[in-house]
Amino acid sequence: MNRVDTEFSITDGVARLTLAKPDVRNALTDVGILTEILEGIGEAQADAGVTTLVITGKGTAFSAGGNVREMQSRGGMFSGTPEQLTESYRSTIQLLTRKMASTDLVTIASVNGPAVGAGFDLALACDLRVGSTLARFAHTFVDLGIIPGDGGAWMLPRVVGWQRAAELAFTARFVDAQEAVDLGILLEVVAPHELEARTNEIASTIAAKPAHSVRLTKRLLRHARTMDLDGFLELSAALQAVSHHTEAHLEAVDRYVAAWDDRRKEQD
């Protein structure tokens, strides 16, 4: 497709999606950028050789979230009656939340700068988050007299815990990169010039594993949030049975046994 608002590529099992609207700090509430993000995720998901999706921002911000000027003018997705706005949220930003929550890809946010409002929530929707020292996070919805309409109030407590989520949501304060590590928002923080390389290192490590195993493990982790133990164990047994009959599993076992035998010979 002809992409205008994003950049997308796939290399060695890793898909990379860059939000490319630096003039509006990669705001997410335009239908064009949302469509391109959704299509990028779909393209990566459809490629059986891809296990990992990196999302980052172009310019100085990861994403500023909603376009406040459009909110002011009641344009774009913020136009219409309350009923129309409800449907607008369902058919735009909430589709992204659902897509991120349902993918079998391992998603990594490479947070190059501020991630605010829905931009923060996009980062929270990822499995892993690596940030530069320039990364900052804030749930600024209450400052604008609104709520997290994209599902952020569901994601935030699952990352930082209930009490801290309440404090961040009610105060709308900014969290710097180091505090973000302390709170579990970021996995780690690196210098800005090291961010791309470090993110690629993590993504490549995951992409080097058997693709089916990575995707099925991601599926298990997703369902662990909502299933009871009995149902979860049944799903685990079924997916494990499938895994035992894959060529990748048989090849991996052969390599493991051969390496083990070589070590034993060296010890004898």
Side-chain angles (χ1 to χ4, degrees):
M1 64 168 291
N2 182 27
R3 291 183 171 86
V4 176
D5 298 327
T6 62
E7 297 171 359
F8 182 81
S9 63
I10 295 176
T11 305
D12 297 329
V14 178
R16 188 175 185 89
L17 178 63
T18 302
L19 312 179
K21 296 190 72 175
D23 55 318
V24 290
R25 296 172 67 78
N26 301 319
L28 290 172
T29 48
D30 178 75
V31 173
I33 192 170
L34 283 171
T35 299
E36 290 186 23
I37 294 170
L38 290 168
E39 290 180 350
I41 298 171
E43 184 175 337
Q45 177 76 30
D47 188 330
V50 175
T51 59
T52 311
L53 171 65
V54 174
I55 299 177
T56 192
K58 190 172 186 177
T60 59
F62 178 75
S63 174
N67 188 320
V68 179
R69 292 191 182 277
E70 285 193 344
M71 292 183 197
Q72 182 184 42
S73 65
R74 296 192 176 184
M77 68 169 285
F78 305 113
S79 63
T81 65
E83 291 79 9
Q84 290 170 327
L85 275 166
T86 298
E87 183 55 36
S88 179
Y89 270 86
R90 288 173 179 159
S91 61
T92 57
I93 194 72
Q94 288 187 357
L95 283 183
L96 176 57
T97 303
R98 292 179 187 277
K99 191 78 168 179
M100 292 293 291
S102 63
T103 183
D104 289 336
L105 300 169
V106 179
T107 50
I108 305 175
S110 186
V111 188
N112 54 301
V116 181
F120 185 6
D121 292 339
L122 177 58
L124 290 173
C126 292
D127 301 307
L128 304 172
R129 292 167 293 277
V130 181
S132 85
T133 52
L134 301 176
R136 300 171 72 220
F137 303 87
H139 241 217
T140 53
F141 300 96
V142 294
D143 278 350
L144 296 172
I146 55 177
I147 56 97
D150 61 345
W154 187 89
M155 292 181 281
L156 187 59
R158 285 166 169 77
V159 174
V160 302
W162 176 267
Q163 180 171 241
R164 183 59 71 188
E167 184 260 333
L168 292 176
F170 297 146
T171 66
R173 73 176 179 87
F174 276 83
V175 172
D176 66 21
Q178 186 53 58
E179 185 182 5
V181 173
D182 297 339
L183 295 179
I185 296 169
L186 286 178
L187 177 67
E188 59 185 76
V189 60
V190 297
H193 69 276
E194 298 174 339
L195 180 61
E196 183 174 354
R198 179 55 181 147
T199 304
N200 289 342
E201 181 182 10
I202 296 171
S204 296
T205 298
I206 296 169
K209 310 298 183 185
H212 83 279
S213 184
V214 172
R215 285 196 175 208
L216 292 185
T217 299
K218 169 63 184 288
R219 190 177 302 178
L220 280 178
L221 289 173
R222 286 197 292 109
H223 287 295
R225 288 180 168 181
T226 57
M227 295 183 72
D228 62 24
L229 180 59
D230 287 341
F232 186 76
L233 290 175
E234 286 297 318
L235 176 63
S236 299
L239 295 182
Q240 187 73 310
V242 171
S243 296
H244 275 294
H245 281 266
T246 61
E247 287 297 323
H249 164 66
L250 298 175
E251 292 171 0
V253 170
D254 287 344
R255 287 194 301 271
Y256 185 91
V257 171
W260 175 263
D261 289 343
D262 288 342
R263 288 195 297 270
R264 290 293 298 273
K265 289 177 182 177
E266 291 174 359
Q267 293 171 0
D268 292 340

